Amino acid sequence: MATRRKIKILFAAAEAVPFSKTGGLGDVAGSLPKALKEAGAKVAVITPKYSTIAWEYQEKMVHVADFYVPLAWRSIYCGIEKLTYDGVDFYFVDNEAYFKRDGLYGYFDDGERYAFFSKAICEAIAKLPELQCDVLNCNDWQTAMAPVFLREFYQESEACRNVKTVFTVHNVKFQGQFSDKVLNDILGLADIPAARDQLYCDRESINYMKGALCYSDTISTVSPSYAGELQMPFYGEGLDGIFRDRAWCLHGILNGIDTVSWDPQHDDAIAKKYSIKRMAGKAECKAALQEELGLRVDPERPLVVMIGRLTNQKGLGLVRYAMDKIMSRSIQVAILGTGDKDQEDAFKYFDWKYGDMMCARIAFDGALSRRMYAGGDILLMPSEFEPCGLSQMIAMRYGTLPVVRETGGLQDSVVPYNQYTGEGTGFRFANMNGDEMADTLIGACELFWTDKDAWKQLQKQAMETDFSWSRAAQDYLNMYYELHPELKK
Ligand code: ADP
């Protein structure tokens, strides 16, 4: 007989907005739990208490428990603090030796810091009734050892025995790979052959993500297409074989965006607010942006914007290759981002070369990004790989049509324009090829010039698309309930 009660989820992540963020994971951990709660689950989030968390939050945290966490031969202090934010209970793992640093990651002892965090999660489930859960959803390599520890060390615990584990991959590039010294000295798993075998990725290295992929009850990632790509050698970063073996339990669930924060109707950062029904404001935003960026103020020049990290992942080589071709068609390009020095330098050079038709802002500027999403006509995102991608969804919400490469979440969120039916929310191309990208972009500009009605219709369709977290939350809930058939929604 199935029991009808709320399913209890513990969401474990190394970063969560508004407390900590280096990338998309922080956004997901800050938004998805709230959506899960609204969809009917009981949810708590567990994350490290970094000293970089804003004081306004730290001072409101309440101490709920402390205990010692066993890590191989060590016994390490762990405090648990709690803060309810926006209706969701956040629990913070406190240990100053590990988390009182200038940043989040990139330290010599990251392998130890996040093994501690993962073990602390298991201890907290075992010791604190308020953290008991049906499903533990771990995210990325920093929490990857929790499913391994739970299975190897906590089966005696009444609270842990029935916990099912989900491991969510946000970016397979970062796997948490360390010298095999950690196996004995930190993880305490050297004498367990099954764990040893599943954690080794070469003769001398241990891979935390590999451990989680083997030990978790279910695996998910942030878009359906990326779930398929992870099984290919080109994208799988050496773990494609495991993704293929476990394809039967690999779920691809497209992320959402915060549709309250990203809304041209209520965005205070943009020159003029607008909506699907009253689009006039968008033209004002474009003129203001051209003015601000030193571009020629001309409504007839399509304004192509790019916002994001300036790294190879984002397909910038194609843009660099095709820049002259694009510029020869009187198209404006504006880039906002920071990243690899050679990329920054290349775009600074184009800025100089093309005067009032090209602008590169090498900065991280949230307010300017909003003005660009609002003022642009087209967002260009030719990524080599893209697990989900947020920029293209934000752009569509602002009626800025994306031109994307068909990969990962870009493929799943952008419907290509169909000239016969008028369907679509943007434009796509298939190959990592600069000419193909340029031709698709120029094709989009031709439509902008020659068929204003079709363009407006595409903008409307893009803005109407539902990118809210509530859609994703339903898919996550279904995945959780599959793990607990004795529970009913
Ligand atoms: P990734 O997670 O690979 O960096 P996403 O598209 O998923 O890429 O998310 C990037 C987010 O960061 C978007 O919200 C984008 O607007 C924002 N962003 C990236 N670079 C900048 C920048 N230089 N200034 C302001 N916002 C930025």
Side-chain angles (χ1 to χ4, degrees):
M1 250 286 279
T3 321
R4 197 178 283 271
R5 72 159 165 82
K6 280 191 178 181
I7 192 163
K8 288 189 253 174
I9 312 300
L10 181 59
F11 200 83
E15 48 187 275
V17 165
F19 309 108
S20 50
K21 168 175 169 165
T22 66
L25 168 62
D27 287 318
V28 175
S31 322
L32 173 60
K34 184 170 179 229
L36 287 171
K37 192 177 169 195
E38 284 161 2
K42 193 168 179 312
V43 190
V45 181
I46 189 161
T47 189
K49 185 186 175 197
Y50 299 107
S51 54
T52 49
I53 295 176
W55 181 244
E56 57 172 307
Y57 301 123
Q58 290 201 39
E59 67 177 354
K60 292 197 197 104
M61 292 177 189
V62 179
H63 184 83
V64 290
D66 47 73
F67 44 77
Y68 282 82
V69 173
L71 212 54
W73 52 271
R74 302 166 184 77
S75 197
I76 299 168
Y77 170 85
C78 171
I80 300 284
E81 317 233 320
K82 179 181 177 184
L83 175 67
T84 304
Y85 179 82
D86 215 5
V88 177
D89 294 334
F90 287 83
Y91 290 83
F92 296 87
V93 170
D94 182 26
N95 177 300
E96 292 202 345
Y98 289 139
F99 300 129
K100 192 175 176 186
R101 311 261 171 121
D102 296 338
L104 268 53
Y105 323 121
Y107 298 97
F108 74 99
D109 57 348
D110 278 359
E112 181 177 333
R113 296 168 72 222
Y114 290 100
F116 164 77
F117 178 49
S118 299
K119 200 74 175 285
I121 295 166
C122 302
E123 283 289 320
I125 297 172
K127 290 203 159 76
L128 303 185
E130 55 193 301
L131 284 180
Q132 282 180 10
C133 54
D134 300 303
V135 176
L136 170 65
N137 191 342
C138 293
N139 293 276
D140 276 356
W141 72 268
Q142 302 93 335
T143 50
M145 287 309 296
V148 182
F149 291 146
L150 210 59
R151 177 95 61 84
E152 297 295 356
F153 296 127
Y154 290 86
Q155 290 307 299
E156 300 290 304
S157 154
E158 190 68 33
C160 296
R161 199 174 304 134
N162 293 323
V163 174
K164 299 285 183 194
T165 49
V166 175
F167 184 70
T168 305
V169 179
H170 296 260
N171 192 339
V172 80
K173 272 250 176 205
F174 308 104
Q175 301 178 358
Q177 200 166 313
F178 304 98
S179 148
D180 63 355
K181 293 201 174 63
V182 298
L183 200 60
N184 186 36
D185 195 43
I186 291 167
L187 307 178
L189 289 165
D191 297 330
I192 304 178
R196 281 179 66 98
D197 291 353
Q198 296 183 82
L199 281 164
Y200 267 101
C201 60
D202 63 35
R203 223 155 53 89
E204 296 174 338
S205 313
I206 296 300
N207 186 320
Y208 287 9
M209 186 177 275
K210 182 165 178 273
L213 295 176
C214 295
Y215 272 76
S216 298
D217 293 301
T218 270
I219 305 168
S220 80
T221 187
V222 291
S223 68
S225 292
Y226 195 55
E229 289 170 351
L230 285 172
Q231 299 171 50
M232 305 172 189
F234 180 78
Y235 295 97
E237 298 288 333
L239 297 178
D240 46 289
I242 302 183
F243 286 111
R244 283 196 298 278
D245 284 348
R246 302 212 64 197
W248 60 274
C249 69
L250 175 58
H251 299 70
I253 303 175
L254 193 70
N255 284 341
I257 55 170
D258 182 340
T259 46
V260 175
S261 165
W262 297 109
D263 181 358
Q265 215 173 338
H266 299 110
D267 192 334
D268 291 328
I270 64 179
K272 182 87 187 178
K273 293 176 187 157
Y274 59 92
S275 65
I276 300 177
K277 290 209 181 84
R278 301 165 68 87
M279 284 293 281
K282 190 163 171 67
E284 281 187 47
C285 288
K286 176 173 176 180
L289 182 65
Q290 287 173 319
E291 179 89 46
E292 177 183 354
L293 298 181
L295 298 170
R296 192 180 315 164
V297 180
D298 180 352
E300 282 308 307
R301 294 298 112 225
L303 174 49
V304 178
V305 294
M306 294 183 73
I307 299 154
R309 290 179 293 117
L310 301 182
T311 64
N312 288 340
Q313 178 198 332
K314 300 294 174 183
L316 299 172
L318 304 192
V319 184
R320 285 160 65 170
Y321 165 85
M323 202 57 148
D324 291 334
K325 187 169 178 180
I326 296 167
M327 285 294 143
S328 72
R329 304 297 294 265
S330 285
I331 297 165
Q332 288 182 340
V333 176
I335 291 190
L336 169 65
T338 55
D340 300 343
K341 179 144 186 348
D342 66 318
Q343 304 284 9
E344 292 184 354
D345 288 346
F347 288 106
K348 276 192 231 164
Y349 164 73
F350 288 129
D351 181 315
W352 167 80
K353 183 173 178 188
Y354 292 112
D356 64 0
M357 291 302 280
M358 157 77 204
C359 172
R361 282 288 165 96
I362 308 301
F364 194 98
D365 185 338
L368 176 56
S369 79
R370 288 174 177 275
R371 296 195 289 277
M372 288 177 70
Y373 285 121
D377 296 302
I378 291 170
L379 176 101
L380 179 60
M381 211 163 161
S383 306
E384 188 180 317
F385 71 95
E386 196 63 73
C388 176
L390 300 175
S391 296
Q392 81 282 8
M393 294 197 243
I394 300 171
M396 284 185 265
R397 184 121 174 98
Y398 282 74
T400 301
L401 299 181
V403 172
V404 301
R405 193 175 90 81
E406 284 169 7
T407 182
L410 298 176
Q411 175 162 322
D412 296 332
S413 58
V414 178
V415 181
Y417 171 57
N418 180 327
Q419 62 178 343
Y420 304 107
T421 63
E423 279 170 319
T425 59
F427 306 86
R428 306 196 325 203
F429 63 97
N431 298 301
M432 282 299 288
N433 178 302
D435 287 313
E436 207 176 308
M437 181 203 75
D439 292 345
T440 309
L441 181 65
I442 291 166
C445 294
E446 301 274 351
L447 190 74
F448 171 88
W449 280 312
T450 58
D451 194 343
K452 296 278 185 239
D453 288 340
W455 192 266
K456 280 189 196 141
Q457 184 58 27
L458 283 181
Q459 283 182 311
K460 184 168 179 289
Q461 285 156 199
M463 292 172 84
E464 277 172 348
T465 308
D466 178 12
F467 291 118
S468 69
W469 272 108
S470 52
R471 170 197 47 77
Q474 280 306 334
D475 293 342
Y476 273 88
L477 265 191
N478 291 340
M479 174 173 71
Y480 298 147
Y481 274 104
E482 268 176 34
L483 292 168
H484 279 284
E486 79 284 7
L487 296 180
K488 263 180 97 176
K489 259 195 202 178

